[in-house]
Amino acid sequence: MGLEKIRQGQSGLLMYGFTPPRLGTEAHRMAELNLARKRRLSALPLDACVVYDVQDESARIAKARPFPYLPTMSALDYAQGSLAGFELGRVVYLPATSMDRQGLEEKLNRLAGGQAVVLVGSPSARSARGIELLSAIEAASKHEVGLLTGAVVIPERHGLKGDEHLRVVAKSEAGASFFVSQCVYDVDRLKNYLSDYYYHCADTGRPCAYQVFTLTVCGSEQTLAFMEWLGISVPRWLMNDLQRSRDILSQSLERCVEMAGEIAAYCSLKKIPFGFNIESLSNKKAEIEAAGELATRVRHILDDF
């Protein structure tokens, strides 16, 4: 059924997100990476994969990036090339505000039916130079290919400004049918957003849009620092537990499973259609394997709900 779960408002979607290989990767190495990735993902109980388009976010924050920024292939090129014929549905991230309307249309024309696109804005207002995000969402939702059009939701922003639910409503009105969150580690902050969103929809007589919550394992203090740099909110008690743990990866994995159950219970109670997106922020083997285990355990949680 894959991405049709979004169209039908059926909870239970499970995706796995990753970035394309680095620019300049040699052909033989690219073939090895693609084969390994397809084997790994095919062994997991997934409905779709998410291909991120990595942007340089240095303009967003003055603090040094824990991992160096290394340009990658465009998500669209990778999804349409290396992943062509892959059985899983594909969700492709496009940095909409980095292109004009014609450039956006050209990229949308390359996306085939049965795929989905997530349109994202610029890392900072200073780097925005193209089409306005809501206009891009509207253009994609009305595109003749009939793409599933999605956008990003950031629970941390709701904690700071209290209006993320209204941003989601505006994107829905422009044509977004689903939303993928930034990585979640603070369930209370997420539930604050979901509660405000749910009651706003109830008061205005609109259905809740499909919500996909991103979970990622953390296997080291360096990864934890990278999460903090990305703006991911980690509760202080959990930060302390992870930093002092003898096995950060195992503790992080168990916490992600707990969060998945708590989020699933809340969304089911409110009848908000939902799914999960699993990712690994590190290319370390142990963290990638733990992400695979997380996907399998989250599938069991989804099946229960």
Short mmCIF file of all heavy atoms in Angstrom, two decimals, residues 144-168:
data_model
loop_
_atom_site.label_atom_id
_atom_site.label_comp_id
_atom_site.label_asym_id
_atom_site.label_seq_id
_atom_site.Cartn_x
_atom_site.Cartn_y
_atom_site.Cartn_z
N GLU A 144 0.35 18.34 -12.76
CA GLU A 144 -0.39 17.34 -13.53
C GLU A 144 0.01 15.91 -13.22
O GLU A 144 -0.77 14.97 -13.44
CB GLU A 144 -0.22 17.60 -15.03
CG GLU A 144 1.22 17.52 -15.50
CD GLU A 144 1.38 17.85 -16.98
OE1 GLU A 144 0.42 18.39 -17.56
OE2 GLU A 144 2.45 17.56 -17.53
N VAL A 145 1.21 15.70 -12.71
CA VAL A 145 1.64 14.35 -12.36
C VAL A 145 0.81 13.79 -11.20
O VAL A 145 0.68 12.59 -11.03
CB VAL A 145 3.15 14.34 -12.02
CG1 VAL A 145 3.60 12.98 -11.51
CG2 VAL A 145 3.97 14.72 -13.24
N GLY A 146 0.22 14.67 -10.41
CA GLY A 146 -0.59 14.22 -9.27
C GLY A 146 0.27 13.75 -8.11
O GLY A 146 -0.01 12.74 -7.47
N LEU A 147 1.30 14.51 -7.82
CA LEU A 147 2.21 14.15 -6.73
C LEU A 147 1.53 14.30 -5.37
O LEU A 147 0.70 15.18 -5.18
CB LEU A 147 3.43 15.07 -6.75
CG LEU A 147 4.44 14.90 -7.88
CD1 LEU A 147 5.42 16.05 -7.84
CD2 LEU A 147 5.17 13.58 -7.74
N LEU A 148 1.93 13.45 -4.45
CA LEU A 148 1.63 13.70 -3.05
C LEU A 148 2.57 14.81 -2.60
O LEU A 148 3.79 14.71 -2.77
CB LEU A 148 1.88 12.45 -2.21
CG LEU A 148 0.74 11.47 -2.03
CD1 LEU A 148 1.26 10.21 -1.34
CD2 LEU A 148 -0.38 12.09 -1.21
N THR A 149 2.01 15.87 -2.06
CA THR A 149 2.82 17.03 -1.70
C THR A 149 2.88 17.16 -0.19
O THR A 149 1.85 17.20 0.49
CB THR A 149 2.24 18.31 -2.30
OG1 THR A 149 2.17 18.17 -3.72
CG2 THR A 149 3.11 19.52 -1.96
N GLY A 150 4.10 17.21 0.34
CA GLY A 150 4.29 17.33 1.77
C GLY A 150 5.12 18.54 2.15
O GLY A 150 5.67 19.24 1.29
N ALA A 151 5.22 18.78 3.44
CA ALA A 151 6.01 19.88 3.98
C ALA A 151 6.60 19.45 5.31
O ALA A 151 6.34 18.34 5.80
CB ALA A 151 5.16 21.14 4.12
N VAL A 152 7.37 20.33 5.91
CA VAL A 152 8.06 20.03 7.17
C VAL A 152 7.33 20.67 8.33
O VAL A 152 6.77 21.77 8.20
CB VAL A 152 9.52 20.55 7.10
CG1 VAL A 152 10.20 20.44 8.45
CG2 VAL A 152 10.30 19.78 6.04
N VAL A 153 7.31 19.98 9.47
CA VAL A 153 6.81 20.55 10.71
C VAL A 153 7.93 20.49 11.75
O VAL A 153 8.66 19.49 11.82
CB VAL A 153 5.55 19.82 11.21
CG1 VAL A 153 5.81 18.33 11.44
CG2 VAL A 153 5.03 20.45 12.50
N ILE A 154 8.08 21.56 12.53
CA ILE A 154 9.17 21.64 13.50
C ILE A 154 8.59 21.90 14.88
O ILE A 154 8.26 23.05 15.22
CB ILE A 154 10.18 22.76 13.12
CG1 ILE A 154 10.70 22.52 11.70
CG2 ILE A 154 11.33 22.80 14.11
CD1 ILE A 154 11.64 23.61 11.20
N PRO A 155 8.42 20.86 15.69
CA PRO A 155 7.85 21.04 17.04
C PRO A 155 8.64 22.01 17.90
O PRO A 155 8.07 22.74 18.72
CB PRO A 155 7.88 19.62 17.62
CG PRO A 155 7.84 18.72 16.42
CD PRO A 155 8.64 19.44 15.37
N GLU A 156 9.98 22.05 17.73
CA GLU A 156 10.79 22.98 18.52
C GLU A 156 10.39 24.42 18.25
O GLU A 156 10.40 25.26 19.16
CB GLU A 156 12.28 22.78 18.19
CG GLU A 156 12.92 21.58 18.84
CD GLU A 156 12.62 20.28 18.12
OE1 GLU A 156 11.91 20.32 17.08
OE2 GLU A 156 13.08 19.22 18.56
N ARG A 157 10.03 24.71 17.02
CA ARG A 157 9.61 26.08 16.68
C ARG A 157 8.30 26.43 17.38
O ARG A 157 8.07 27.58 17.75
CB ARG A 157 9.46 26.20 15.16
CG ARG A 157 9.25 27.62 14.66
CD ARG A 157 9.59 27.71 13.18
NE ARG A 157 8.81 26.80 12.37
CZ ARG A 157 9.08 26.50 11.09
NH1 ARG A 157 10.13 27.05 10.51
NH2 ARG A 157 8.33 25.66 10.41
N HIS A 158 7.46 25.42 17.59
CA HIS A 158 6.20 25.67 18.31
C HIS A 158 6.50 26.04 19.75
O HIS A 158 5.82 26.88 20.35
CB HIS A 158 5.31 24.42 18.26
CG HIS A 158 3.92 24.67 18.74
ND1 HIS A 158 3.02 25.41 18.02
CD2 HIS A 158 3.27 24.30 19.86
CE1 HIS A 158 1.86 25.47 18.68
NE2 HIS A 158 2.00 24.80 19.81
N GLY A 159 7.53 25.41 20.33
CA GLY A 159 7.89 25.73 21.70
C GLY A 159 8.39 27.16 21.85
O GLY A 159 8.21 27.80 22.88
N LEU A 160 9.00 27.69 20.78
CA LEU A 160 9.54 29.04 20.83
C LEU A 160 8.51 30.10 20.46
O LEU A 160 8.44 31.16 21.09
CB LEU A 160 10.74 29.15 19.87
CG LEU A 160 11.97 28.32 20.22
CD1 LEU A 160 13.00 28.40 19.11
CD2 LEU A 160 12.59 28.82 21.52
N LYS A 161 7.69 29.81 19.45
CA LYS A 161 6.77 30.82 18.92
C LYS A 161 5.30 30.51 19.15
O LYS A 161 4.45 31.40 19.05
CB LYS A 161 7.02 31.01 17.43
CG LYS A 161 8.44 31.49 17.11
CD LYS A 161 8.63 31.73 15.63
CE LYS A 161 10.03 32.28 15.33
NZ LYS A 161 10.23 32.54 13.89
N GLY A 162 4.99 29.23 19.42
CA GLY A 162 3.61 28.86 19.71
C GLY A 162 2.67 28.89 18.53
O GLY A 162 1.44 28.84 18.71
N ASP A 163 3.21 28.94 17.31
CA ASP A 163 2.33 29.06 16.14
C ASP A 163 2.60 28.01 15.06
O ASP A 163 2.16 28.17 13.91
CB ASP A 163 2.43 30.45 15.54
CG ASP A 163 3.82 30.75 14.96
OD1 ASP A 163 4.75 29.94 15.18
OD2 ASP A 163 3.96 31.79 14.29
N GLU A 164 3.32 26.95 15.41
CA GLU A 164 3.63 25.95 14.38
C GLU A 164 2.37 25.31 13.83
O GLU A 164 2.30 24.97 12.65
CB GLU A 164 4.57 24.88 14.95
CG GLU A 164 5.12 23.92 13.91
CD GLU A 164 6.08 24.59 12.91
OE1 GLU A 164 6.43 25.76 13.09
OE2 GLU A 164 6.46 23.90 11.95
N HIS A 165 1.34 25.14 14.66
CA HIS A 165 0.10 24.56 14.17
C HIS A 165 -0.55 25.45 13.10
O HIS A 165 -1.17 24.94 12.16
CB HIS A 165 -0.87 24.31 15.32
CG HIS A 165 -1.32 25.52 16.05
ND1 HIS A 165 -0.43 26.40 16.66
CD2 HIS A 165 -2.56 26.03 16.29
CE1 HIS A 165 -1.10 27.38 17.24
NE2 HIS A 165 -2.40 27.18 17.02
N LEU A 166 -0.39 26.75 13.23
CA LEU A 166 -0.95 27.67 12.23
C LEU A 166 -0.13 27.63 10.94
O LEU A 166 -0.69 27.76 9.84
CB LEU A 166 -0.99 29.09 12.79
CG LEU A 166 -1.84 29.27 14.05
CD1 LEU A 166 -1.81 30.72 14.51
CD2 LEU A 166 -3.28 28.81 13.82
N ARG A 167 1.16 27.42 11.07
CA ARG A 167 2.00 27.24 9.87
C ARG A 167 1.57 25.98 9.11
O ARG A 167 1.49 25.97 7.87
CB ARG A 167 3.48 27.11 10.26
CG ARG A 167 4.10 28.37 10.84
CD ARG A 167 5.49 28.07 11.37
NE ARG A 167 6.10 29.18 12.03
CZ ARG A 167 7.00 30.00 11.49
NH1 ARG A 167 7.38 29.78 10.23
NH2 ARG A 167 7.51 30.99 12.17
N VAL A 168 1.28 24.93 9.87
CA VAL A 168 0.83 23.68 9.25
C VAL A 168 -0.51 23.88 8.55
O VAL A 168 -0.74 23.40 7.43
CB VAL A 168 0.76 22.56 10.30
CG1 VAL A 168 -0.01 21.35 9.78
CG2 VAL A 168 2.16 22.14 10.71
#
